[in-house]
Amino acid sequence: MEFARRVSARFETKRLPEDVDDGLETLEEYKQRWRSVRIIYFTMFLMSLGFSIILTGIWPYLNKLDPYAGKEFMGLIVAANPLGQLIFSPIFGWWGNKLGKIRLPLLISLALFTLASGIYSSLELRPDNVKYWMLSSRFLIGVSSANIALCRSYLSAATRLSERTHAVSMVSLAQVLGFIIGPALQAVVTPLGEHGHVWLWGMMHFNMYTASGWINVLMSIGNFMMFLPGVFEEHKIAAREVMVMQGGTSEESTWKGIKPNYLSAWTLIVAFFVLVFNFVLLETLGTSLTMDMFAWTDKESLWYMGIMMTTAAVVSLITFVLIEPMCKLLAERYVLIWGGFSLMFLGRVLFVPWGPDPPKLAQPFDPSWNISKNDSIFLGCPVTTQPWCAELPALTLTQFIIGFALTSVGYPIGVTLIQTIFSKVLGPRPQGVWMGWMTGSGCLSRVLGPVFVGSIYTRLGTYWTFGVTSLMMLVSMLLLHCSNRLLIPPTFEKATPVELQELNKPNGGKQEDHSPEGSLLDKDERHPSISSEHRSHHSTSHA
């Protein structure tokens, strides 16, 4: 215990950093604020984990509970999570704005997350219509994870402008770690087997399918306790920072006096939808695409895609760390356009096949034959269900690897900087509803991505699939480039006192001061001071 205390004391913040030592907060308030921000990081990690931890085990679990449910119903179960999040994100955002606090909505959402995870892990009890119980549990987990809108809103309110890029980078990193660690935890509990352990007189089953849900229950209980008073304290410094810079008298009047550019906000929401849609499409299509193009077996595809996903995760983590230094060299909007969207666009273009030959065609498989499905004659592109296989050229492995690598770098840059610029463009106002729309656009991408795969890729093939997505990325990139001046957040300059001025009056040589405070302030010091670049933009747009 003494060793742990010494280690903790070594890393404890002893004084305020120089760049924030401006009297807006005490050292204790600074430490409480960042403790609360880190709790938000963990919450975002848990919400991502709650979605990803069941993805690899949901099909065998459903097949065990109800062998007649089918893959179509499994698709509904997977889509239920983002659908619930899509519907309730704006509602949670509005609720947080209405209360002015996020503690109560977050506590209720985490309690719901715990309950829904417990229901998912209790399906071994075989209630009637068990597949609908699974569907309901995943929908409720999606509803509870709508609190991401509140987390993003609080992050914008609880960080200074100079801290915003770093904070959004870290919260995006937390989400990526949740998506990565989820399937890994599912793999760790696989040795438990289908039967595992039965506790509490047969009421609690702990096996390789239910363990993921019980992990969610334990972690959400811990997360719930983090939001209790005395641990999580709300410190909204963004509005206070701008208020002091402007010389205002109240935080509310300060943000009410700053009108955000709604056109730039909706431009970023649309760009976020396109970005996430392209990423989800590749995530959904990756395994089946490699099996079609390279004639890999199930085992080979899972193995090679596992290696590529792990490598991509490492590349993404490094990219998240490098975003802040890059934004010190170039404006955030230029890093977003040329570092995020341009790489994503090139990644999609590289998936348009240009191989010299069509892919290897797979023979139709008949389960009545006493032959393994992984026999070489059954591997490749199934021409019976995908007629385009015999007409279009094959994607080369080099194309696939380079395109995947570009996506691994472009996506984290894009998803981080869209959220960063979005929060800055909206200003210091409560952002719950707006963050709800942003979160909802990402959820809509996760709902439509699998549908796009089934309707476009299966029926029309790779040219249409990657041609359409490349065009989407190109149009989004050009839209951001043409409206890049809309993405310039308002910057506020601190008011500085002017030199005292004396008024000479013909009263016998006496000097009299007519200013109530003994000085005359320049009128610009009594109003928001906006950067010249942003001022010129606003004058142009209003004209």
Side-chain angles (χ1 to χ4, degrees):
M1 292 296 293
E2 179 64 20
F3 175 75
R5 188 189 64 78
R6 289 181 179 180
V7 172
S8 177
R10 184 177 183 85
F11 290 98
E12 185 179 0
T13 303
K14 305 294 184 184
R15 60 185 178 85
L16 286 169
E18 292 182 3
D19 59 334
V20 298
D21 191 6
D22 52 9
L24 280 181
E25 59 184 342
T26 64
L27 175 61
E28 185 60 29
E29 289 173 335
Y30 175 82
K31 291 193 290 186
Q32 286 180 349
R33 178 166 67 88
W34 274 100
R35 182 176 64 210
S36 299
V37 168
R38 293 183 181 103
I39 291 174
I40 293 296
Y41 292 169
F42 180 78
T43 305
M44 297 285 274
F45 165 80
L46 178 60
M47 294 303 104
S48 296
L49 186 77
F51 172 74
S52 66
I53 195 171
I54 59 91
L55 286 182
T56 54
I58 193 169
W59 168 242
Y61 187 31
L62 176 63
N63 200 38
K64 176 185 176 183
L65 297 173
D66 186 351
Y68 300 101
K71 287 187 176 180
E72 290 80 7
F73 197 85
M74 183 201 70
L76 294 177
I77 292 174
V78 172
N81 182 293
L83 181 62
Q85 193 177 11
L86 168 66
I87 296 171
F88 281 87
S89 288
I91 297 174
F92 268 84
W94 172 84
W95 189 13
N97 282 0
K98 191 73 173 176
L99 294 176
K101 302 283 185 181
I102 67 168
R103 189 196 309 275
L104 178 61
L106 279 169
L107 287 174
I108 292 176
S109 65
L110 287 170
L112 181 61
F113 184 89
T114 305
L115 174 65
S117 298
I119 292 174
Y120 180 85
S121 292
S122 300
L123 296 177
E124 288 278 9
L125 301 178
R126 298 296 203 292
D128 293 335
N129 298 315
V130 64
K131 66 179 182 179
Y132 293 107
W133 278 96
M134 180 181 283
L135 179 68
S136 301
S137 70
R138 295 306 300 167
F139 181 79
L140 290 176
I141 287 177
V143 172
S144 63
S145 62
N147 63 19
I148 287 177
L150 292 172
C151 293
R152 287 174 173 161
S153 174
Y154 178 76
L155 200 67
S156 300
T159 53
R160 298 167 180 258
L161 288 171
S162 60
E163 301 168 335
R164 193 75 47 78
T165 302
H166 169 76
V168 176
S169 297
M170 291 301 101
V171 84
S172 299
L173 174 59
Q175 286 185 284
V176 170
L177 286 175
F179 283 117
I180 294 172
I181 293 176
L185 285 177
Q186 177 67 75
V188 168
V189 299
T190 300
L192 290 171
E194 291 190 6
H195 304 289
H197 305 280
V198 179
W199 298 323
L200 299 178
W201 304 280
M203 298 300 294
M204 180 178 178
H205 292 251
F206 190 79
N207 55 45
M208 68 179 186
Y209 302 130
T210 62
S212 57
W214 293 124
I215 291 172
N216 280 340
V217 168
L218 290 176
M219 295 184 73
S220 59
I221 291 174
N223 200 185
F224 183 95
M225 296 175 66
M226 292 178 187
F227 281 101
L228 295 176
V231 183
F232 178 84
E233 299 294 340
E234 297 192 41
H235 292 273
K236 299 181 179 180
I237 199 170
R240 190 159 73 249
E241 179 186 29
V242 177
M243 180 192 72
V244 172
M245 287 180 176
Q246 295 183 347
T249 56
S250 73
E251 297 174 20
E252 185 176 358
S253 62
T254 297
W255 64 257
K256 281 186 175 180
I258 304 171
K259 185 177 181 181
N261 191 312
Y262 296 115
L263 179 58
S264 61
W266 281 109
T267 300
L268 290 167
I269 289 175
V270 172
F272 188 72
F273 168 81
V274 173
L275 187 75
V276 177
F277 180 86
N278 274 267
F279 181 77
V280 170
L281 176 69
L282 181 60
E283 189 177 51
T284 306
L285 188 59
T287 301
S288 58
L289 180 66
T290 57
M291 295 175 67
D292 290 345
M293 294 292 108
F294 313 132
W296 288 348
T297 64
D298 293 351
K299 185 176 181 180
E300 287 174 334
S301 182
L302 290 174
W303 171 250
Y304 291 132
M305 283 301 296
I307 294 174
M308 292 187 67
M309 290 292 288
T310 303
T311 306
V314 174
V315 172
S316 297
L317 297 182
I318 296 172
T319 304
F320 277 119
V321 175
L322 294 178
I323 289 174
E324 189 176 5
M326 285 191 291
C327 291
K328 292 180 179 178
L329 299 175
L330 295 171
E332 290 175 342
R333 64 188 188 279
Y334 293 128
V335 178
L336 168 64
I337 295 169
W338 302 113
F341 272 76
S342 64
L343 293 180
M344 286 289 290
F345 167 68
L346 291 175
R348 295 290 75 71
V349 170
L350 281 172
F351 277 96
V352 177
W354 62 51
D357 301 311
K360 179 181 178 297
L361 302 181
Q363 297 298 318
F365 177 74
D366 188 339
S368 63
W369 299 347
N370 190 23
I371 305 176
S372 170
K373 189 177 180 180
N374 285 325
D375 191 280
S376 60
I377 64 170
F378 304 125
L379 300 178
C381 204
V383 70
T384 52
T385 56
Q386 299 174 175
W388 54 266
C389 290
E391 303 169 2
L392 301 181
L395 179 73
T396 66
L397 183 59
T398 302
Q399 281 181 265
F400 185 81
I401 292 175
I402 296 176
F404 202 89
L406 292 175
T407 301
S408 302
V409 177
Y411 179 74
I413 294 175
V415 77
T416 298
L417 291 182
I418 284 179
Q419 296 176 68
T420 301
I421 297 173
F422 186 70
S423 68
K424 291 182 178 180
V425 163
L426 293 176
R429 68 186 53 250
Q431 298 180 5
V433 175
W434 281 103
M435 288 298 176
W437 290 118
M438 174 69 79
T439 303
S441 70
C443 297
L444 184 61
S445 299
R446 287 161 52 195
V447 172
L448 295 181
V451 175
F452 187 87
V453 170
S455 60
I456 303 298
Y457 175 77
T458 303
R459 298 180 184 180
L460 302 177
T462 49
Y463 275 176
W464 274 95
T465 300
F466 298 111
V468 170
T469 52
S470 297
L471 183 62
M472 290 173 63
M473 289 304 306
L474 179 61
V475 170
S476 299
M477 186 176 71
L478 293 176
L479 177 64
L480 289 173
H481 178 68
C482 294
S483 59
N484 80 86
R485 295 186 67 81
L486 295 175
L487 307 181
I488 302 172
T491 56
F492 308 96
E493 301 167 1
K494 292 185 179 180
T496 55
V498 298
E499 188 177 346
L500 289 174
Q501 302 178 22
E502 295 180 341
L503 299 178
N504 297 324
K505 296 189 68 176
N507 56 354
K510 291 183 180 180
Q511 297 174 342
E512 188 176 342
D513 189 353
H514 283 251
S515 173
E517 288 84 12
S519 65
L520 295 177
L521 293 179
D522 183 80
K523 69 175 182 179
D524 287 341
E525 298 174 33
R526 297 193 292 270
H527 296 279
S529 178
I530 304 178
S531 68
S532 58
E533 185 180 11
H534 197 267
R535 189 187 298 115
S536 64
H537 156 66
H538 271 277
S539 62
T540 303
S541 61
H542 286 301

